[in-house]
């Protein structure tokens, strides 16, 4: 199984268009070693011929153009077979609208995500005016085959409720907590090897830890270095946890968890532009590397 990181950044990418934080300034002016990143998504394949997207970011078109394996082979025949959603956040779903020119989209999503895409953002009914959407219901705990040689099992992830898309009838606030955010356990059915994709997590509960601890490769939420990072930079009024993400640093941070996992590779994805570990001369970057984890860049490909 091959996993390719299409975008390693969080919402807004790196640099973010309206941000002048130290990291964004550095990537623009080249004053410190760092690399730009597009918004969070990966592609996975068992044969390097048929690919499945996990999330569809607003940067999907440029990500496809940067990835020859995802480009059409002839005419308009795409190697992208389906899209799997971890949630209904804008930075994970806006790219669906960019797929409207295709003959149809196979979309795997939980009931909670479908409810938000239908009655909240309205992306799904808009998309269905242009192309056929084959909805596949994602149920945490159920194993689903993805063509030849690949399967997935979604697992529920604790998160915060977000009411910004509520419209009074079919609302994000009203949707079931189950499946509001999921991680994916991807299995190569020939070898039995496993990758876990978890780009958004507020807390690593014992159940989530079990999913990570039994994987060969993990790709995990690395949004902020500290919980109050955005507040200290005067860029937001909420902590990372308030926004549904777990900080990297600290005794209760994700790095302490990753360092104790047996996985062969532990890779941070969904990294916010404010996170100092994006700067390759920073002590935060050195700390991550010293503890056996990686900071993903766009285009990173991992054989699992």
């Amino acid at each position: 199984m091959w996993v390719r990181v299409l975008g390693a950044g969080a919402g807004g990418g790196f640099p973010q268009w309206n941000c002048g934080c130290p990291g964004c300034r550095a990537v623009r002016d080249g004053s410190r070693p760092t690399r730009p990143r597009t918004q969070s998504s990966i592609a996975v394949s068992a044969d390097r011929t048929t690919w499945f997207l996990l999330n569809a970011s607003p940067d999907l078109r440029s990500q496809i153009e940067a990835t020859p394996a995802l480009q059409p082979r002839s005419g308009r025949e795409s190697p992208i077979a389906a899209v799997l959603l971890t949630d209904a956040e804008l930075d994970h779903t806006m790219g669906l609208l960019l797929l409207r020119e295709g003959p149809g989209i196979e979309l795997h999503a939980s009931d909670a995500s479908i409810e938000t895409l239908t009655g909240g953002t309205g992306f799904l009914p808009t998309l269905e005016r242009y192309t056929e959407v084959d909805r596949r219901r994602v149920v945490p705990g159920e194993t689903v085959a993805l063509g030849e040689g690949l399967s997935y099992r979604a697992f529920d992830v604790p998160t915060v409720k977000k009411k910004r898309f509520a419209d009074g009838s079919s609302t994000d606030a009203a949707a079931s907590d189950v499946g509001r955010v999921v991680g994916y356990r991807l299995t190569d059915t020939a070898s039995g090897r496993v990758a876990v994709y978890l780009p958004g997590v507020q807390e690593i509960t014992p159940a989530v830890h079990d999913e990570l601890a039994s994987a060969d490769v993990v790709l995990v939420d690395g949004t902020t270095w500290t919980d109050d990072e955005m507040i200290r930079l005067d860029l937001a009024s909420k902590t990372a946890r308030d926004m549904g993400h777990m900080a990297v640093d600290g005794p209760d941070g994700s790095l302490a968890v990753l360092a104790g996992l047996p996985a062969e590779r532990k890779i941070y994805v969904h990294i916010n532009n404010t996170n100092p570990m994006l700067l390759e001369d920073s002590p935060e970057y050195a700390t991550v590397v010293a503890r056996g984890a990686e900071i993903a860049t766009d285009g990173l490909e991992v054989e699992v």
Side-chain angles (χ1 to χ4, degrees):
M1 169 171 56
W2 288 267
V3 175
R4 185 178 179 93
V5 177
L6 302 180
F14 182 60
Q16 182 170 305
W17 70 275
N18 66 337
C19 187
C21 73
C24 288
R25 291 199 305 270
V27 79
R28 288 188 180 107
D29 63 23
S31 58
R32 296 178 67 180
T34 188
R35 284 170 275 186
R37 289 160 170 86
T38 58
Q39 295 171 86
S40 179
S41 177
I42 66 169
V44 61
S45 176
D47 58 9
R48 298 177 71 89
T49 298
T50 301
W51 291 85
F52 301 88
L53 302 184
L54 277 78
N55 293 332
S57 92
D59 299 315
L60 181 56
R61 181 187 175 279
S62 63
Q63 292 168 346
I64 291 172
E65 291 306 307
T67 311
L70 297 184
Q71 296 167 10
R73 302 182 188 98
S74 63
R76 293 192 172 180
E77 180 188 358
S78 172
I80 299 172
V83 179
L84 286 62
L85 297 180
T86 60
D87 52 61
E89 289 290 331
L90 293 181
D91 54 319
H92 291 160
T93 58
M94 286 180 70
L96 291 171
L97 299 177
L98 303 178
L99 299 175
R100 66 190 183 278
E101 293 93 351
I105 299 171
E106 183 178 304
L107 181 64
H108 297 244
S110 68
D111 288 344
S113 289
I114 290 294
E115 185 170 356
T116 297
L117 290 171
T118 302
T121 64
F123 284 178
L124 195 51
T126 299
L127 181 61
E128 289 174 329
R129 293 187 180 98
Y130 289 89
T131 191
E132 180 180 349
V133 178
D134 179 7
R135 302 185 187 186
R136 304 293 179 94
R137 185 170 181 248
V138 169
V139 179
E142 289 190 2
T143 299
V144 178
L146 281 177
E148 293 290 331
L150 193 64
S151 69
Y152 75 77
R153 177 171 56 76
F155 56 92
D156 199 45
V157 178
T159 190
V160 293
K161 288 187 177 182
K162 298 181 181 180
K163 301 181 180 180
R164 61 167 63 101
F165 300 124
D167 67 356
S169 54
S170 177
T171 71
D172 187 48
S176 168
D177 283 344
V178 175
R180 186 178 300 281
V181 175
V182 299
Y184 282 97
R185 184 178 184 84
L186 303 156
T187 301
D188 184 305
T189 55
S191 67
R193 288 173 61 79
V194 171
V196 165
Y197 184 55
L198 185 62
V201 62
Q202 185 186 42
E203 177 187 2
I204 296 181
T205 61
V208 173
H209 186 276
D210 287 347
E211 300 289 354
L212 298 173
S214 57
D216 299 288
V217 173
V218 296
L219 299 100
V220 176
D221 182 358
T223 303
T224 64
W225 184 256
T226 60
D227 191 47
D228 64 347
E229 181 173 297
M230 301 281 284
I231 296 173
R232 285 189 295 103
L233 290 169
D234 199 26
L235 297 175
S237 60
K238 294 182 178 181
T239 65
R241 185 176 178 81
D242 289 339
M243 295 183 283
H245 298 282
M246 183 178 184
V248 172
D249 193 33
D252 299 321
S254 60
L255 186 57
V257 176
L258 293 190
L261 296 177
E264 297 165 11
R265 297 184 70 173
K266 310 157 192 179
I267 304 168
Y268 276 115
V269 293
H270 197 277
I271 307 161
N272 200 55
N273 61 87
T274 57
N275 193 325
M277 72 182 186
L278 288 170
L279 298 165
E280 296 171 16
D281 62 352
S282 68
E284 292 85 0
Y285 179 93
T287 297
V288 172
V289 173
R291 301 200 69 179
E294 303 173 50
I295 300 167
T297 55
D298 289 14
L300 174 69
E301 189 165 285
V302 181
E303 183 175 356
V304 182

